[in-house]
């Protein structure tokens, strides 16, 4: 948003896009003046502080509203040689804003990419009354030479607003054991932990103190011990781990859990172990680790009932195309599966493990009665991929649709060629339709971990 010309576009949800109203500063009063103060305050509070301040130039009324709006305060220290974000402010002006703005801060985001004494400043800001009742908090303390231990611990003052927080994200810091007495978040709905070190005891007490938590994301978390999840409200879990060191996650008691997403993991089949003990509503699972023959050991606890697997309807697996028998053995555990995603990836020598061969005399239940949609992602058309996909074409009896996301261009000739290789004319389900579409960018499956309105997080355009 430029200082010289301010433009605000309003889109009404019940009108077609052509009815969007563009309001420039010279005619703002014709439209903006009709909105109640409560709506205008909400609009300003969602904007970064810089942009919200610029809105006061629209009219004297907006200037008055600006002073009564809870702020969205974004503080950035850019890496050396990079400009400051146009929407963020620098640490130099934070103290002035906190002391002079008469209304408490709604959201505080702090991203530090420089070394220095900013840790002390951060502690000072968090102790201020203006930040005592935050609704959203994002602390990212990523300094250029702190890739290895020790790193900055999470400031204890972070938890002063624990009773009011709705959204929290902590990145590139360590959770000290001393924070145990501060871990009560009665209203927190979204929690993200990115590249932190935390002990199993602190992890357990942190989640136990989140009485309204709905979604939880952990990425590159260095856990000391077994990380156990017990939550009566949790609906979505996301785990990303690219470290070679092992991570063990146990879902002990999650009666409302609907989906477990693993957007990326290292190619070592032992780097992540996840066990599910009780999740009776789990419907969406994956993408699971590359070595398909070990997936059951990673997901299923030997002391649990397998009943939860009967609730899974959407399942995503990674495969090089060589481990078809291992994948089929896994599908036996999910009899009511309706939609299967296969993400083709690079070949791993461990994919050659000998798994029991598919026996037509012992058919897989989901292939006989429930599997209606199969999506093959990163499909190149190699022989091993074609052979893999052909099995589902010839054996899934109730398929409605088979989708291929192809690297490169799709044209009539290439589609006809693939139809021949797949033996489409001999398909087990005469109702099955086939769709080929080009895909040129990588899909980020962690984008919807906190967005519970997305029914299928793997079905991205």
């Amino acid at each position: 948003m430029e200082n010289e010309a301010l433009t605000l576009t309003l889109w009404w949800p019940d009108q077609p896009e052509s009815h969007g109203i563009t309001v420039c500063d010279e005619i703002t009063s014709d439209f903006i003046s009709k909105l109640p103060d409560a709506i205008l305050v909400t609009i300003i509070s969602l904007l970064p502080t810089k942009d919200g301040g610029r809105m006061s130039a629209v009219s004297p009324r907006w200037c008055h509203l600006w002073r009564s709006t809870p702020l969205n305060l974004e503080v950035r220290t850019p890496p050396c040689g990079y400009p400051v974000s146009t929407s963020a402010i620098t640490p130099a002006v934070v103290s002035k804003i906190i002391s002079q703005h008469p209304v408490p801060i709604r959201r505080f985001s702090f991203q530090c990419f420089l070394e220095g004494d900013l840790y002390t400043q951060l502690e000072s800001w968090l102790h201020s009354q203006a930040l005592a009742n935050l609704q959203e908090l994002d602390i990212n303390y990523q300094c250029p030479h702190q890739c290895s231990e020790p790193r900055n611990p999470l400031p204890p003052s972070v938890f002063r607003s624990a009773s009011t927080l709705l959204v929290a994200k902590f990145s590139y810091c360590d959770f000290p054991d001393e924070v145990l007495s501060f871990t009560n978040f009665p209203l927190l709905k979204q929690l993200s932990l990115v590249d932190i070190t935390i002990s199993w005891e602190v992890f357990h007490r942190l989640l136990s103190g989140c009485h309204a938590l709905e979604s939880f994301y952990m990425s590159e978390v260095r856990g000391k011990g077994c990380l156990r999840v017990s939550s009566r409200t949790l609906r979505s879990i996301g785990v990303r781990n690219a470290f070679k060191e092992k991570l063990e996650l146990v879902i002990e008691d999650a009666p409302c859990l609907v989906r477990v997403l693993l957007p990326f993991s290292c190619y070592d089949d032992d780097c992540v172990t996840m066990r599910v003990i009780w999740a009776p509503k789990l419907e969406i699972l994956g993408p699971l680790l590359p070595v398909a023959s070990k997936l059951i050991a990673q997901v299923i606890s030997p002391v649990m009932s397998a009943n939860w697997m009967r609730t899974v309807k959407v399942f995503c697996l990674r495969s090089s195309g060589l481990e078809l028998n291992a994948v089929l053995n896994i599908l036996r555990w999910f009899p009511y599966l309706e939609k299967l995603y296969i993400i083709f990836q690079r070949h791993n020598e461990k994919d050659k493990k000998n798994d029991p061969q598919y026996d037509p005399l012992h058919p897989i239940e989901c292939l006989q009665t429930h599997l209606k949609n199969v999506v093959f992602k990163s499909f190149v058309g190699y022989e091993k991929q074609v052979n893999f996909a052909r099995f589902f074409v010839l054996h899934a009896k109730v398929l409605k649709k088979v989708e291929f996301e192809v690297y490169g261009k799709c044209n009539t000739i290439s589609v006809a060629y693939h139809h021949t290789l797949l033996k489409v004319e001999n398909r087990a389900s005469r109702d099955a339709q086939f769709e080929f579409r080009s895909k040129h960018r990588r899909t980020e499956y962690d984008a919807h971990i906190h967005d519970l309105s997305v029914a299928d997080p793997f079905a991205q355009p």
Side-chain angles (χ1 to χ4, degrees):
M1 197 174 290
E2 300 296 328
N3 288 322
E4 295 78 17
L6 176 64
T7 300
L8 177 65
T9 301
L10 303 179
W11 300 104
W12 305 106
D14 58 342
Q15 297 292 333
E17 186 171 300
S18 59
H19 289 117
I21 303 173
T22 300
V23 184
C24 297
D25 47 3
E26 63 266 25
I27 58 172
T28 296
S29 59
D30 294 338
F31 301 98
I32 299 298
S33 60
K34 297 179 181 180
L35 297 175
D37 286 358
I39 293 180
L40 295 178
V41 168
T42 300
I43 292 173
I44 299 174
S45 69
L46 295 175
L47 297 172
T49 300
K50 268 189 178 181
D51 295 338
R54 290 168 181 168
M55 298 304 290
S56 61
V58 173
S59 70
R61 182 187 177 199
W62 281 76
C63 185
H64 166 73
L65 292 173
W66 161 250
R67 294 188 58 79
S68 61
T69 300
L71 297 185
N72 176 5
L73 190 58
E74 294 187 355
V75 185
R76 300 287 186 272
T77 57
C80 293
Y82 288 84
V84 180
S85 169
T86 56
S87 63
I89 63 174
T90 61
V93 297
V94 175
S95 297
K96 182 178 179 180
I97 292 175
I98 289 176
S99 62
Q100 294 186 359
H101 194 74
V103 181
I105 310 299
R106 181 189 67 84
R107 176 179 180 268
F108 181 68
S109 175
F110 175 77
Q111 293 193 17
C112 174
F113 297 99
L114 295 175
E115 295 178 349
D117 196 31
L118 287 179
Y119 185 87
T120 303
Q121 288 190 32
L122 177 60
E123 273 278 79
S124 174
W125 298 331
L126 291 171
H127 273 291
S128 68
Q129 190 59 34
L131 273 67
N133 296 296
L134 292 171
Q135 294 182 17
E136 298 184 33
L137 179 62
D138 183 355
I139 302 296
N140 184 337
Y141 214 96
Q142 184 181 16
C143 292
H145 301 299
Q146 290 193 339
C147 296
S148 58
E149 307 295 345
R151 297 182 300 178
N152 286 312
L154 192 67
S157 53
V158 161
F159 301 101
R160 289 186 68 241
S161 58
S163 63
T164 60
L165 279 178
L166 302 177
V167 178
K169 181 178 181 180
F170 305 115
S171 309
Y172 300 97
C173 56
D174 294 340
F175 259 75
D177 294 342
E178 296 77 33
V179 305
L180 289 177
S181 59
F182 300 95
T183 55
N184 186 30
F185 299 86
L187 304 179
L188 190 66
K189 293 184 178 295
Q190 297 180 11
L191 175 62
S192 300
L193 305 178
V194 178
D195 205 336
I196 67 167
T197 301
I198 188 169
S199 70
W200 70 267
E201 184 178 5
V202 174
F203 180 86
H204 178 70
R205 294 204 180 186
L206 175 65
L207 292 190
S208 298
C210 300
H211 307 298
L213 192 65
E214 293 183 350
S215 59
F216 170 59
Y217 176 55
M218 55 185 291
S219 174
E220 324 300 6
V221 171
R222 297 173 175 87
K224 300 175 182 177
C226 177
L227 304 181
R228 299 180 178 273
V229 175
S230 293
S231 172
R232 308 296 295 179
T233 59
L234 195 61
R235 297 171 57 195
S236 177
I237 294 178
V239 180
R240 174 188 287 260
N241 183 47
F243 293 138
K244 288 296 183 181
E245 57 189 81
K246 294 183 179 181
L247 172 67
E248 183 178 5
L249 178 69
V250 179
I251 301 175
E252 291 186 330
D253 183 16
C256 294
L257 187 64
V258 175
R259 59 194 191 189
V260 176
L261 307 180
L262 295 93
F264 177 80
S265 294
C266 64
Y267 287 99
D268 188 338
D269 59 326
D270 292 321
C271 70
V272 175
T273 299
M274 185 184 73
R275 291 186 287 130
V276 180
I277 296 176
W278 182 243
K281 295 184 179 180
L282 186 62
E283 294 184 357
I284 301 172
L285 179 63
L288 290 177
L289 298 178
V291 181
S293 60
K294 295 202 66 175
L295 291 179
I296 293 300
Q298 291 165 348
V299 177
I300 301 172
S301 167
V303 298
M304 65 163 286
S305 167
N307 287 337
W308 70 267
M309 289 175 287
R310 303 180 71 86
T311 66
V312 174
K313 294 180 173 61
V314 180
F315 191 28
C316 184
L317 286 169
R318 300 179 184 274
S319 171
S320 68
L322 292 179
E323 52 300 58
L324 174 61
N325 287 307
V327 170
L328 295 177
N329 288 328
I330 291 169
L331 294 184
R332 294 184 184 278
W333 293 86
F334 301 95
Y336 294 100
L337 189 66
E338 296 179 0
K339 191 169 186 178
L340 174 65
Y341 288 87
I342 299 294
I343 304 174
F344 287 120
Q345 62 177 31
R346 67 177 176 83
H347 168 67
N348 190 314
E349 286 299 320
K350 295 180 180 181
D351 298 346
K352 293 183 177 180
K353 289 186 176 182
N354 294 322
D355 289 277
Q357 296 291 314
Y358 171 73
D359 185 355
L361 297 178
H362 297 87
I364 299 169
E365 184 173 347
C366 68
L367 296 183
Q368 302 296 309
T369 58
H370 289 91
L371 188 64
K372 297 179 176 63
N373 196 345
V374 180
V375 181
F376 296 100
K377 291 177 174 283
S378 304
F379 183 78
V380 180
Y382 297 147
E383 181 181 5
K384 60 184 180 181
Q385 295 180 354
V386 172
N387 293 339
F388 191 104
R390 186 192 298 130
F391 178 89
F392 290 90
V393 173
L394 300 180
H395 293 86
K397 295 185 176 180
V398 295
L399 271 182
K400 298 296 184 182
K401 192 173 184 180
V402 184
E403 303 172 57
F404 294 85
E405 292 185 356
V406 181
Y407 276 143
K409 295 182 179 181
C410 289
N411 54 47
T412 304
I413 296 177
S414 64
V415 170
Y417 176 68
H418 284 127
H419 274 217
T420 301
L421 293 179
L422 294 168
K423 298 185 178 180
V424 168
E425 69 281 1
N426 296 328
R427 60 191 181 275
S429 171
R430 305 313 299 176
D431 295 331
Q433 302 295 314
F434 295 82
E435 177 182 322
F436 291 79
R437 58 178 178 267
S438 297
K439 186 81 171 182
H440 299 285
R441 61 184 178 88
R442 179 179 174 180
T443 302
E444 295 295 337
Y445 299 106
D446 50 1
H448 298 304
I449 288 172
H450 292 306
D451 189 354
L452 300 177
S453 67
V454 177
D456 183 355
F458 306 126
Q460 295 187 22

